Amino acid sequence: LEQLQFALDTQREAQRIAVVELDQRLEKLEAKSERKADLSEGRGVNGVATAGVLPPPITQLQTPEDKKRYQSALAQAKAKNYSDAIVSLDALIKEQPNSTYVELAHYWRAAFLAAADQNDKATEAYDAYLTLYPKGVKVGSVLLALGEMAQQQGITPVAKAYYERVVAEFANTDVAQVAQQHLAELAE
C-alpha cells in the first residue's frame, strides 16, 4: 500500500511539474504569437513599420475559440471531470487540426485518460503522441508516464527502459530527476 501511495504521489508530482511547464510554454507561445501578429499586420518591432515587407499569415493557427476550448478542458480536468475534458480535447483535435493547441491537446487527452484509470487507452494515446510529435515539447513527460504505467502494472523491464530513455534524452530536467528516482526504486 505504501508503494502504491508513493507511486501515486510521484505521478501527481510529475503531473504538477507538467502543468507548470505547460503554463510557462503557453505564455512563451502566446507572446511569440503576438509578436508574429504584430509583424504580419505591419506594426513591426519597436514601432518600425513592416507593412508590405512580410507576407500575411497563410492560415490562422490559433483562434480565441481554440484557446477557450483548451482552457475549458483543463478546467474540467482540474475539477476531476476527466470524461468531459477528454470530449472537449477530442473535439478540438478533430475540428481544428492545425491549431497550435493540438499537440498539447493530444498530450493532456492521454494524461486525463490515465487519471481516469483508463490505462490501455492512455497508453494508446501516449503512443499516438510519440508517433505524431517525435520531437514534441512533452516527449519526456510522455515517456515518464509510460514508464510509470508499466511500473504500476508490474512490467519492470519496460518501465526501466522508459526511465532510462528519459534520463538519457532529457538530462538535467525535472522529468529526468523523477525518472532517476524511479530507477533507484526499481534497483532496491
Side-chain angles (χ1 to χ4, degrees):
L1 185 61
E2 288 178 13
Q3 288 177 338
L4 289 174
Q5 184 62 45
F6 179 77
L8 182 61
D9 291 343
T10 304
Q11 188 169 12
R12 284 184 182 148
E13 178 63 16
Q15 287 178 339
R16 185 194 65 75
I17 291 168
V19 169
V20 169
E21 289 175 354
L22 170 66
D23 287 341
Q24 292 170 346
R25 287 185 176 127
L26 277 177
E27 287 174 10
K28 288 179 185 177
L29 181 62
E30 287 171 354
K32 187 176 181 180
S33 218
E34 289 170 6
R35 285 193 303 271
K36 284 182 179 179
D38 287 347
L39 288 172
S40 67
E41 293 170 7
R43 289 192 294 264
V45 179
N46 298 327
V48 177
T50 59
V53 176
L54 297 174
I58 297 170
T59 59
Q60 185 156 356
L61 297 177
Q62 175 182 324
T63 67
E65 294 81 23
D66 296 348
K67 183 176 182 178
K68 189 180 208 180
R69 185 179 285 165
Y70 179 78
Q71 290 176 335
S72 172
L74 295 182
Q76 289 167 332
K78 191 173 185 177
K80 303 212 184 301
N81 189 354
Y82 300 117
S83 59
D84 286 346
I86 292 164
V87 168
S88 294
L89 292 174
D90 283 343
L92 174 62
I93 291 165
K94 182 180 179 183
E95 295 169 18
Q96 297 294 333
N98 295 324
S99 171
T100 55
Y101 289 101
V102 169
E103 177 184 346
L104 293 174
H106 278 282
Y107 169 77
W108 286 112
R109 180 182 181 279
F112 300 157
L113 285 165
D117 291 326
Q118 297 181 34
N119 290 336
D120 290 341
K121 289 182 180 181
T123 300
E124 289 175 16
Y126 280 133
D127 287 339
Y129 177 93
L130 292 174
T131 300
L132 292 168
Y133 308 102
K135 296 186 185 290
V137 297
K138 301 304 271 179
V139 169
S141 296
V142 167
L143 295 170
L144 179 65
L146 286 168
E148 289 171 341
M149 289 192 307
Q151 185 176 358
Q152 288 171 358
Q153 294 172 1
I155 311 170
T156 304
V158 172
K160 186 177 177 186
Y162 279 123
Y163 296 149
E164 288 172 344
R165 183 173 169 194
V166 171
V167 170
E169 293 180 22
F170 301 94
N172 301 318
T173 64
D174 291 337
V175 292
Q177 289 176 351
V178 174
Q180 193 63 52
Q181 290 171 354
H182 288 314
L183 284 169
E185 292 167 21
L186 292 175
E188 294 175 357

